[in-house]
Amino acid sequence: MTKYPTTENTSTLKQITLSLGRYLQQTDWIFSLILAFILRTLIFSFQISISIAVLYFQFSNIVEYQDGSADISTIEIIFFISFLILFKRYWAYSKQTSLHWWNLVISPFLWHGRFIIIALVCVVLSDSSPIENFEIISLQEQHLLQIISLSSILLSLYISVPSRTLIIKTEIKPLNTTKSEEIKIESEVKNVQ
């Protein structure tokens, strides 16, 4: 005699497969979130670290001969004045927002890191060897590279200003009025209606 599956056995089997499917789906969802978090963290760390490294090398390049003000060129003086103006602008706009201080500090570094990554990708995608291209560009066009590098710093500070939607709205307080003036204004409003 062969046993045929009863309705109890099939409903239990369906429940097991449904619960197993839910667990697999939940595990898949959690794994994708963990993987996305790891990749975002790596990209974030790479952008910040490459930006800080380039800034360090750029500023150490400015004072490379240890001659004080003789090291600073006209381009670098213009850069420092522009940087101070843009930093004051960035600070003024940032004070009006509700962003956390950490986001305000990191934002220019992230934009600068993105610019550097784009420049590196452009160098790598050119026709000849990236190392040869970089050496040729750095030896022949040193001043042009410095201008581009300093401009990318200024541009990253310029565009990293927080959005207008994050500005904290301040309430406008009415002028100090006495109770009798408020009652008079309310009665005038009622009479008009």
Side-chain angles (χ1 to χ4, degrees):
M1 265 182 117
T2 59
K3 287 188 175 180
Y4 294 105
T6 62
T7 56
E8 288 180 12
N9 291 343
T10 58
S11 65
T12 310
L13 186 60
K14 284 182 184 179
Q15 289 176 350
I16 291 173
T17 55
L18 284 176
S19 64
L20 182 62
R22 287 183 194 141
Y23 288 131
L24 287 175
Q25 183 181 15
Q26 189 72 14
T27 305
D28 180 48
W29 182 72
I30 290 172
F31 180 72
S32 66
L33 287 178
I34 291 171
L35 188 62
F37 174 76
I38 290 170
L39 288 175
R40 279 190 211 117
T41 305
L42 288 174
I43 291 170
F44 175 82
S45 301
F46 181 69
Q47 283 179 336
I48 296 295
S49 60
I50 198 168
S51 175
I52 290 172
V54 167
L55 287 173
Y56 172 76
F57 289 124
Q58 185 63 41
F59 287 116
S60 65
N61 189 26
I62 290 174
V63 291
E64 64 186 329
Y65 300 116
Q66 304 294 327
D67 283 341
S69 63
D71 274 342
I72 301 175
S73 67
T74 308
I75 295 169
E76 293 160 350
I77 292 171
I78 293 171
F79 165 75
F80 283 122
I81 293 170
S82 301
F83 182 81
L84 290 175
I85 292 169
L86 287 175
F87 185 75
K88 184 178 179 186
R89 173 187 174 269
Y90 180 73
W91 182 256
Y93 285 147
S94 298
K95 283 191 325 187
Q96 301 173 9
T97 63
S98 60
L99 280 177
H100 194 267
W101 68 270
W102 175 252
N103 293 335
L104 295 175
V105 170
I106 290 299
S107 181
F109 290 108
L110 287 174
W111 278 105
H112 187 243
R114 290 174 187 150
F115 289 139
I116 294 166
I117 291 170
I118 290 170
L120 289 175
V121 166
C122 289
V123 169
V124 168
L125 293 179
S126 62
D127 0 346
S128 60
S129 169
I131 296 171
E132 289 175 14
N133 278 345
F134 186 73
E135 288 174 357
I136 291 170
I137 291 172
S138 65
L139 293 177
Q140 292 177 351
E141 306 290 335
Q142 188 171 10
H143 297 290
L144 181 63
L145 275 179
Q146 184 181 23
I147 292 171
I148 292 171
S149 178
L150 294 176
S151 298
S152 71
I153 294 169
L154 294 176
L155 184 62
S156 64
L157 188 61
Y158 182 76
I159 64 175
S160 62
V161 172
S163 172
R164 290 187 72 175
T165 59
L166 299 173
I167 293 177
I168 301 171
K169 300 197 187 289
T170 56
E171 295 181 18
I172 300 172
K173 296 181 180 180
L175 297 173
N176 291 336
T177 56
T178 61
K179 281 273 194 186
S180 62
E181 290 175 351
E182 288 177 9
I183 294 171
K184 183 179 175 184
I185 292 171
E186 287 178 12
S187 64
E188 290 176 359
V189 171
K190 287 180 184 178
N191 289 337
V192 172
Q193 294 175 354

